[in-house]
Amino acid sequence: MLLAGVGALGVVFGDIGTSPLYTFKTVLDMTGGDNPHTIYGVISLLIWTLIVVTTIKYAGFAMRIDNDGEGGILALMALLGVKRHKRPMIVAAGLFGAALIYGDGAITPAISVLSALEGLNIVEPSLQHYVLPLTALILLALFAFQPAGTARIGRAFGPIMALWFITMAVLGIWGIAKHPAILWALNPYYGLAYLLHSGGGGFLVLGGVFLCVTGAEALYADMGHFGAGPIKLAWSGLVFPSLVLNYAGQGAIVLAGAPTAGNIFYRLCPAALTVPLIVLATMATIIASQSIITGAFSMTRQAIQLGWMPRLKVSQTSEEGYGQIYVGAVNWLLMLVTIGLALGFRKSDNLASAYGIAVSATMLMTTVLLFIAMREIWKWHLAASIVVAGLFFVVDLSFFASNMTKLLDGGYVPLMLAILVYLVMYIWHRGLVALGARLGEDPIPVDAFLDELTRSCVARVPGTAVFLTRAKATTPAVMQLYVKHTMALHKRVLAVTLDIASVPYIARRDRLALAEIQPNYWAITARYGFMERPDMPALMAQIATHGCPIDPTQLTYFVGMEKIVGREGPQRLPHWIRSIFTIMLRNCSRMTDYLRIPAEQVVDIGRQVSI
C-alpha cells in the first residue's frame, strides 16, 4: 500500500498539490488587506475547506461508493443513472459534470506553469518578460511529448511529488517559526468570524478560497487506478499536512511583515534556494498538468465506450498499464486552448478569475449523486441523508455561487468549453439512438431469412462471414444488404453484437454468450466494461475456444458505412442535430480501426439511412 501511495502522489495530487503556488496570493488580493483579522480568517478558511471538502466529503464519503472499483462522476453516473435505473436526469447531470472537468482541465496547466515560473520575478524582476514565452514553450513541449507515452516518466512522478510535498512542509514550518501565533487559525472560529463580519466581501473571497481544493475530484476519479486505501494514506500521511503547513507558513510570514507583492509562496524560501525551488515547482506543475491530460484521455475513452462521444483514435502507449493511452484529437485541442489561455490571460492572477466555476459545479453535482447513493446503496434514513448531503450541498453551493461572481472576469471560459463538450456528447448520443432505431425498423427473424435464402437458391460460398450488428434476435441489416446485392452468403455466419455495460470491467468468463441458432449461423454477444476497449481478433480467438469452429485469421468482416439523409414525419431528428451528427459520423475513427480489425479482412458496405 505504501508503494501505491507514493505512486498516487504523482497522479492524484498534482493539481491540489500545486495550488499553494497561487491560492493564498489570489485570496489576499481579493481581500485588499493584510491585517491579522484577515490573515487568520483566510488561513482558517483554507484549512477547513481542505478538511470539509477533501478529507470528509471525498476521502470520507465519496470514496466509499464505487462502480466495481471505479470512481469519478462518470462512473457514479453509470452506477446510479444507468446500471440501477434508466434515469435521464442523472445521466444528464453526470455528463455535464464530466464536460465541466474538460473546461477546468484546460486551465490547470496554464495557471500552474505560469504561477511556478512567476518566481523568476523575485529572483530578477527583469526576467518577467520571459515568463510568458517560457510558459508557452513548456506547455508546447508537454503536449508534443504525449504521443510517446508517459510510462517511463510516470515512474519518477511519485518520488518527485513526494519531494515537492516535503519541501512545502519544511518551508511552511520555517514560515510558522517566524510567527507561531498563526496556528490559532486551526480554530474554525476565525474563518467563520471573518465570513460573518466581512459582509459581502467575505462571500466573494470564497471564490478564491475554493482554489485550494480544485484537484479534490481527482481523489475520487483516480480511485480505480490505485484503490481507496493508498489514496487516503497519501492524503492523510503527507499531502494534507504539507498543504496545511505551507498555507499557515505563508500566512505567518505576511503577519511577520513579508511583502505581499509578487508570489508569496516564494517568499517562504531563502533567497539562495529560490532558483532550485522554481525548478522543483515547475516540475511539479508539469506533473500536475500531465495528470490532467491523462485524466482527459481516460474520461474520453469512458465516454466513447458509453456511447456519448464520437469514436476517436485511442492509442495504447504502454503495455504496462491500461491507463497509458493517447487520444490525439483531445491532446491537440487541449494544447491550443491551454496555450491560448496562458497567452490571453498572461498572469496566474488573471487566470484565477476563470478558475473554479467548472470544478465547483462538478462538486455540486457529485453531492446530488452522493445523496441518491446514500439512500439507494447505503439504505440510509431520509433524515440522515439530508443532514449529511445537505451539509456538503450548502458548502458546495456557497463556493459555486461565489465563483459565479467571476463569470464576466473569465469564468465564462470553462463554462463555454463545457457547454461545447456537452453539446458534442448530446448530439452524438441522440444521433446514435436515432440511427439504431432506424436500422431496427421492420426486423426479419433469422429463421425466416435463412429459409428464404434456401427457397431463392442463394449461393453459399466457402468461408466465414462476421457481421457486426446491433440486432441480437433478428437478421443483421448489413447481411440483408449484402445478400440482396450479391445473391450469395458464406457457409458459416457469425452475427456479433458488442454490449458496453455500465460497469468498468467484465470478467473474461462473462465476456461471451453464443448460440448456434441455425446450422452454421452463430449469434454472439460480447460484453465489455466502459473502461475496456473491444479487440475483435482477440474476441474471435476466444470464440474459437468456445465450440465455434473458426480460424480467426480466415474471417471476412462486413461493416456498414452509413450515409445519413433526412426523413419525413414526427420521428425525424431536428435538422441542426442531424447535420452536426452527420459531420461527426463522417469524421470519427473508422469502426474497424477502433475494433482493431485487420484491414485486409474487411468489406465495407455502404447504405443510406434516413433519420
Side-chain angles (χ1 to χ4, degrees):
M1 181 180 289
L2 182 60
L3 289 176
V6 173
L9 289 175
V11 177
V12 180
F13 300 106
D15 189 0
I16 198 169
T18 52
S19 58
L21 283 165
Y22 50 81
T23 299
F24 184 62
K25 167 63 176 173
T26 299
V27 177
L28 214 56
D29 289 343
M30 295 174 72
T31 61
D34 54 4
N35 60 77
H37 170 72
T38 298
I39 300 301
Y40 281 111
V42 166
I43 297 300
S44 182
L45 286 172
L46 290 171
I47 292 172
W48 281 93
T49 298
L50 287 169
I51 292 173
V52 173
V53 175
T54 312
T55 303
I56 298 177
K57 176 184 172 181
Y58 280 100
F61 283 89
M63 294 181 71
R64 293 167 57 195
I65 304 172
D66 64 272
N67 189 346
D68 288 355
E70 289 293 326
I73 194 165
L74 271 183
L76 193 57
M77 176 211 76
L79 175 65
L80 299 175
V82 180
K83 185 176 180 180
R84 298 175 68 86
H85 305 282
K86 300 296 183 182
R87 292 166 162 171
M89 291 304 296
I90 290 179
V91 171
L95 289 172
F96 192 64
L100 286 164
I101 293 174
Y102 282 100
D104 252 18
I107 298 179
T108 296
I111 191 173
S112 298
V113 176
L114 263 177
S115 59
L117 291 176
E118 282 170 354
L120 293 172
N121 300 340
I122 295 176
V123 177
E124 176 55 58
S126 62
L127 295 176
Q128 180 178 353
H129 301 294
Y130 296 97
V131 170
L132 197 59
L134 278 174
T135 298
L137 189 63
I138 289 173
L139 291 174
L140 180 64
L142 174 67
F143 284 100
F145 184 77
Q146 295 305 310
T150 59
R152 293 179 180 177
I153 288 184
R155 298 189 189 101
F157 280 3
I160 292 174
M161 289 306 293
L163 176 61
W164 168 250
F165 285 116
I166 292 170
T167 301
M168 282 204 303
V170 171
L171 291 175
I173 293 171
W174 184 81
I176 292 169
K178 293 191 172 186
H179 201 288
I182 191 64
L183 294 177
W184 285 108
L186 293 171
N187 187 338
Y189 165 79
Y190 289 95
L192 292 174
Y194 177 78
L195 287 178
L196 294 174
H197 296 100
S198 299
F203 170 73
L204 296 177
V205 163
L206 286 177
V209 170
F210 182 75
L211 296 176
C212 74
V213 290
T214 49
E217 186 81 20
L219 273 74
Y220 190 31
D222 289 320
M223 188 169 63
H225 294 289
F226 298 97
I231 292 176
K232 291 180 181 180
L233 176 65
W235 169 252
S236 59
L238 180 60
V239 179
F240 175 66
S242 299
L243 293 174
V244 170
L245 288 170
N246 195 268
Y247 283 125
Q250 290 187 53
I253 62 171
V254 173
L255 289 174
T260 57
N263 194 315
I264 298 175
F265 175 83
Y266 289 107
R267 303 287 182 191
L268 280 173
C269 182
L273 298 177
T274 302
V275 173
L277 182 60
I278 292 172
V279 173
L280 179 60
T282 304
M283 293 175 67
T285 56
I286 290 173
I287 291 172
S289 303
Q290 178 62 61
S291 301
I292 290 292
I293 297 167
T294 303
F297 293 163
S298 179
M299 192 161 61
T300 299
R301 178 170 55 187
Q302 290 184 41
I304 291 172
Q305 293 291 79
L306 290 169
W308 288 96
M309 190 82 77
R311 292 186 306 273
L312 302 174
K313 184 178 180 181
V314 179
S315 305
Q316 196 77 30
T317 59
S318 171
E319 297 179 357
E320 298 177 13
Y322 185 71
Q324 294 288 338
I325 60 173
Y326 170 71
V327 185
V330 174
N331 183 64
W332 301 123
L333 285 173
L334 267 181
M335 184 194 74
L336 291 174
V337 174
T338 300
I339 295 179
L341 288 172
L343 296 177
F345 285 86
R346 304 186 68 82
K347 295 172 62 180
S348 63
D349 292 352
N350 299 335
L351 263 175
S353 298
Y355 206 32
I357 289 181
V359 173
S360 59
T362 302
M363 289 184 175
L364 197 60
M365 293 177 186
T366 300
T367 294
V368 174
L369 297 181
L370 282 177
F371 171 76
I372 298 172
M374 289 172 186
R375 295 283 294 145
E376 297 185 358
I377 297 177
W378 293 344
K379 307 298 182 183
W380 279 17
H381 191 276
L382 179 61
S385 302
I386 290 176
V387 169
V388 176
L391 171 64
F392 297 147
F393 188 82
V394 169
V395 172
D396 291 337
L397 185 62
S398 299
F399 282 126
F400 176 69
S402 181
N403 274 298
M404 283 299 291
T405 62
K406 303 186 292 184
L407 186 64
L408 298 181
D409 293 327
Y412 61 88
V413 173
L415 286 182
M416 287 178 58
L417 292 173
I419 290 171
L420 286 174
V421 173
Y422 183 78
L423 277 175
V424 168
M425 291 178 172
Y426 173 77
I427 293 170
W428 177 256
H429 189 74
R430 182 95 181 265
L432 276 189
V433 171
L435 182 62
R438 185 61 165 161
L439 292 175
E441 291 180 356
D442 304 320
I444 301 175
V446 173
D447 292 344
F449 183 79
L450 294 178
D451 290 343
E452 179 62 28
L453 294 186
T454 303
R455 288 193 296 271
S456 303
C457 299
V458 171
R460 302 302 295 267
V461 300
T464 301
V466 179
F467 292 94
L468 299 176
T469 176
R470 298 179 179 88
K472 294 182 180 180
T474 57
T475 306
V478 176
M479 187 168 79
Q480 297 178 42
L481 196 61
Y482 174 69
V483 171
K484 176 181 177 181
H485 288 286
T486 64
M487 291 302 293
L489 183 64
H490 293 65
K491 288 185 176 179
R492 185 180 295 111
V493 174
L494 275 62
V496 179
T497 301
L498 302 179
D499 266 355
I500 305 300
S502 56
V503 297
Y505 300 100
I506 296 294
R508 183 179 173 85
R509 64 178 180 276
D510 300 325
R511 175 85 67 208
L512 286 173
L514 65 165
E516 190 177 13
I517 59 177
Q518 282 273 351
N520 287 320
Y521 185 96
W522 295 76
I524 299 167
T525 299
R527 300 179 68 238
Y528 290 88
F530 61 78
M531 289 292 289
E532 299 177 285
R533 179 181 173 184
D535 185 317
M536 288 301 291
L539 178 66
M540 291 298 125
Q542 187 177 353
I543 288 172
T545 66
H546 280 64
C548 184
I550 61 171
D551 180 354
T553 64
Q554 301 297 318
L555 303 174
T556 303
Y557 296 86
F558 291 87
V559 181
M561 301 288 289
E562 294 87 3
K563 179 182 178 182
I564 305 299
V565 296
R567 70 180 294 185
E568 299 300 325
Q571 294 181 324
R572 69 180 184 275
L573 277 181
H575 176 72
W576 70 275
I577 291 181
R578 186 179 66 249
S579 300
I580 298 175
F581 174 72
T582 302
I583 295 172
M584 290 181 185
L585 189 65
R586 188 184 304 131
N587 290 280
C588 71
S589 174
R590 284 169 51 88
M591 175 65 77
T592 52
D593 293 337
Y594 187 72
L595 298 178
R596 298 173 178 168
I597 301 174
E600 64 274 9
Q601 293 180 245
V602 177
V603 175
D604 292 323
I605 298 182
R607 51 183 170 174
Q608 184 170 286
V609 183
S610 57
I611 59 175

